[in-house]
Amino acid sequence: MNKTPSLDKIDLKILETLQQNSRISNLELANAVGLSPTPCARRVKRLEDEKVILSHKTVLNESLLGLKLSALISISMDRHTPERFEKFEKEISSFPEIVECNIVTGQSADYLLKAILPDMAHYEAFLLGKLTKIDGVSGVHTSFILRKVIDQKNLPLSHISNNSINF
């Protein structure tokens, strides 16, 4: 189990600022959070070492890159064994079309995938040429995203508090 790290107001401000712009320079970040550059860099390094910050990513414009179809794909498995799930997860992780894979409860599906593809022809080829050929897949149900209403990449941090700090 992961231990919740101790975060203060400055740590939270660093996290919020980096979620908005991970390319910000250390000097700009330090100024934004009210620190000098060296302590700011040390805090970022600590947050990385503690795995609070997992990576720094660039978010691309799907549409401008010709990826105009987003699909939520429910997958049902024929058997619920660790080996079957492990094999499925290993295979699905090699498909670049899949940008998210989750084991879910509360529905008939075992997995919920998010795929991003150029168009319906590519989806059909993906479905018939890759997805349904995985051993153990017994059912596939796909919903297509018509329009994104909220596409938030930043995590909410307002619930985090430190016993010694009142937010």
Side-chain angles (χ1 to χ4, degrees):
M1 181 174 248
N2 292 340
K3 181 181 175 256
T4 303
S6 176
L7 302 173
D8 63 18
K9 285 183 182 181
I10 294 173
D11 292 329
L12 293 174
K13 183 70 175 162
I14 287 171
L15 295 174
E16 289 170 348
T17 303
L18 287 175
Q19 282 193 115
Q20 293 298 318
N21 178 8
S22 67
R23 289 181 51 120
I24 191 171
S25 72
N26 183 58
L27 180 60
E28 293 170 312
L29 180 60
N31 288 334
V33 302
L35 289 176
S36 59
T38 301
C40 183
R42 276 197 297 262
R43 281 181 181 250
V44 171
K45 175 78 169 106
R46 179 183 56 82
L47 292 167
E48 291 170 342
D49 290 346
E50 291 179 352
K51 305 290 187 228
V52 174
I53 297 174
L54 295 176
S55 68
H56 302 270
K57 296 192 182 250
T58 300
V59 179
L60 304 177
N61 186 321
E62 299 163 16
S63 183
L64 289 178
L65 295 170
L67 298 166
K68 300 190 184 276
L69 186 67
S70 295
L72 300 175
I73 306 168
S74 298
I75 302 289
S76 299
M77 301 297 288
D78 62 354
R79 291 193 314 262
H80 296 122
T81 64
E83 299 79 24
R84 185 65 96 193
F85 278 52
E86 185 179 319
K87 185 172 184 198
F88 174 82
E89 291 169 18
K90 183 178 181 188
E91 193 152 349
I92 204 76
S93 66
S94 70
F95 300 159
E97 300 89 348
I98 302 298
V99 297
E100 195 171 320
C101 174
N102 301 283
I103 294 178
V104 295
T105 65
Q107 57 180 292
S108 60
D110 298 303
Y111 289 94
L112 182 60
L113 313 176
K114 182 176 181 186
I116 300 178
L117 305 112
D119 54 34
M120 192 60 77
H122 281 84
Y123 171 75
E124 181 181 13
F126 172 72
L127 175 69
L128 300 176
K130 291 183 177 180
L131 201 53
T132 57
K133 292 189 175 193
I134 300 173
D135 272 349
V137 171
S138 62
V140 177
H141 180 274
T142 304
S143 298
F144 296 99
I145 296 173
L146 296 177
R147 178 173 51 97
K148 291 179 185 179
V149 177
I150 297 173
D151 189 20
Q152 180 61 268
K153 307 286 191 248
N154 298 344
L155 296 178
L157 301 176
S158 60
H159 69 286
I160 298 173
S161 66
N162 186 312
N163 292 338
S164 63
I165 297 174
N166 296 320
F167 287 98

